[in-house]
Amino acid sequence: MRERLALYLDLIRWNRPAGWLLLLWPSLAALWVAADGWPGWHLLVVFVLGTVLMRSAGCCINDVADRDFDRHVKRTAERPVTRGAVSVREALLVGAVLALAAFGLVLTTNPATIVWSFAGLLVTLIYPYAKRHVSMPQAVLGVAFSFGIPLAFVAVGSANLAWQDIHLQVLSDAVPVQAWGLMLFNLFWVLAYDTEYAMVDRDDDLRIGMKTSAITLGRYDVTAIMAFYAVYLCGWYGLLAQKKLGGAWTFALCLAGLQAVWHFLLIMDRSREGCFQAFRLNHWLGATVFVGLAVGYALR
């Protein structure tokens, strides 16, 4: 049992929390914006635990979908499913249990959030297969990793809706334009850090015919990444300017911008080590944005 548990923890990348942190920070930021400040303990716990569980379930699905490709990539060849230590059926079962646990948390919110959560699950299931057909599958990942933003707005704004109130127009109105804007600009941040991630495996991906943004962008990869960072930070600043979050928010965005410059220094020579380090550091950039926003609301 101890050996199986160790394999399952490896399967869900338990010792590599950067993945769920990249999901968490924009979701929490959206919670604060939707609630116009502190969202309450209930929603905070639901989104933190739900993020960890769904990212873990996503790892299971991704490893099953990519098992035939991963054995040809240096960084992923020793993943449990790829090397046969965990069977496909076993990995899918673990993923299903984790996804059901996350859904149990969603059930404590409201009907509109429950319905919208199925759209988020659909994107999670689609992403692993996008790498076969889409030139920039990181854009699909961007939707998946940003879906906590509209869910946060629905969880806050539709708290009083009952099942009998739910219909298509109500579900559409539950997500305001601001939420879609934040999601769109957050997608550019995902493009930035996941292109850094893709640069690590570019040689292997070219050999096996995998499609990634690092391959599609070619020699413009570094320039594009910096542009993605700029669009993300400027977009969030513009969308939230009316909130009057003060100097803490502005300082946080400037600090995040400096971190993006640091990433440029890491990836400019396109080394595997530098690109992987830049990717792993992105959760600090997301944390900086969230903390600046939360402090701005607290001091407003």
Side-chain angles (χ1 to χ4, degrees):
M1 285 297 294
R2 188 175 300 164
E3 290 178 0
R4 300 314 295 173
L5 179 60
L7 284 171
Y8 295 155
L9 291 176
D10 190 20
L11 174 68
I12 65 173
R13 324 276 203 274
W14 184 255
N15 63 335
R16 295 183 288 280
W20 62 261
L21 287 171
L22 290 170
L23 269 166
L24 180 64
W25 298 128
S27 299
L28 291 186
L31 265 183
W32 256 254
V33 175
D36 205 33
W38 169 247
W41 284 109
H42 172 233
L43 288 181
L44 181 63
V45 170
V46 166
F47 273 79
V48 171
L49 293 182
T51 295
V52 175
L53 289 168
M54 279 309 298
R55 187 262 180 171
S56 300
C59 289
C60 299
I61 297 167
N62 184 78
D63 284 10
V64 168
D66 285 352
R67 63 190 184 280
D68 293 330
F69 293 96
D70 283 348
R71 64 170 55 99
H72 301 292
V73 179
K74 188 181 305 182
R75 182 180 53 79
T76 59
E78 293 302 313
R79 286 178 174 172
V81 177
T82 305
R83 70 176 192 266
V86 173
S87 69
V88 169
R89 181 180 178 183
E90 205 173 1
L92 291 176
L93 181 59
V94 172
V97 169
L98 293 169
L100 283 172
F103 185 62
L105 291 169
V106 175
L107 290 176
T108 69
T109 57
N110 60 68
T113 307
I114 294 169
V115 175
W116 271 106
S117 70
F118 284 99
L121 176 62
L122 180 63
V123 178
T124 301
L125 295 174
I126 289 173
Y127 166 67
Y129 300 96
K131 289 175 278 188
R132 281 88 160 157
H133 309 290
V134 181
S135 296
M136 292 187 67
Q138 282 69 23
V140 182
L141 182 71
V143 176
F145 266 49
S146 303
F147 213 84
I149 294 172
L151 283 179
F153 276 83
V154 177
V156 172
S158 303
N160 297 321
L161 285 179
W163 277 109
Q164 58 266 28
D165 301 321
I166 298 300
H167 55 80
L168 193 58
Q169 187 61 49
V170 168
L171 289 173
S172 176
D173 292 342
V175 185
V177 174
Q178 185 181 48
W180 293 123
L182 292 173
M183 181 181 179
L184 174 64
F185 288 120
N186 193 76
L187 188 151
F188 281 92
W189 178 41
V190 180
L191 281 172
Y193 65 66
D194 208 50
T195 300
E196 292 171 346
Y197 195 46
M199 289 168 71
V200 178
D201 299 329
R202 177 156 41 195
D203 293 341
D204 293 326
D205 289 336
L206 280 168
R207 190 177 69 254
I208 63 178
M210 190 72 79
K211 297 181 179 182
T212 71
S213 56
I215 294 171
T216 301
L217 293 169
R219 62 193 180 95
Y220 300 106
D221 50 1
V222 175
T223 303
I225 287 170
M226 299 312 297
F228 294 153
Y229 278 127
V231 171
Y232 161 58
L233 295 173
C234 292
W236 272 54
Y237 182 78
L239 280 175
L240 299 178
Q242 63 191 31
K243 300 292 184 180
K244 302 187 186 306
L245 298 176
W249 172 235
T250 303
F251 176 75
L253 289 180
C254 291
L255 190 57
L258 289 175
Q259 291 180 59
V261 173
W262 182 17
H263 293 185
F264 169 74
L265 297 176
L266 290 171
I267 67 175
M268 61 186 298
D269 62 354
R270 299 178 173 84
S271 67
R272 284 180 182 259
E273 296 76 14
C275 293
F276 193 52
Q277 184 182 1
F279 164 74
R280 292 179 62 187
L281 289 171
N282 264 279
H283 71 88
W284 289 109
L285 191 153
T288 301
V289 172
F290 165 68
V291 170
L293 185 145
V295 171
Y297 272 110
L299 299 179
R300 194 174 56 170

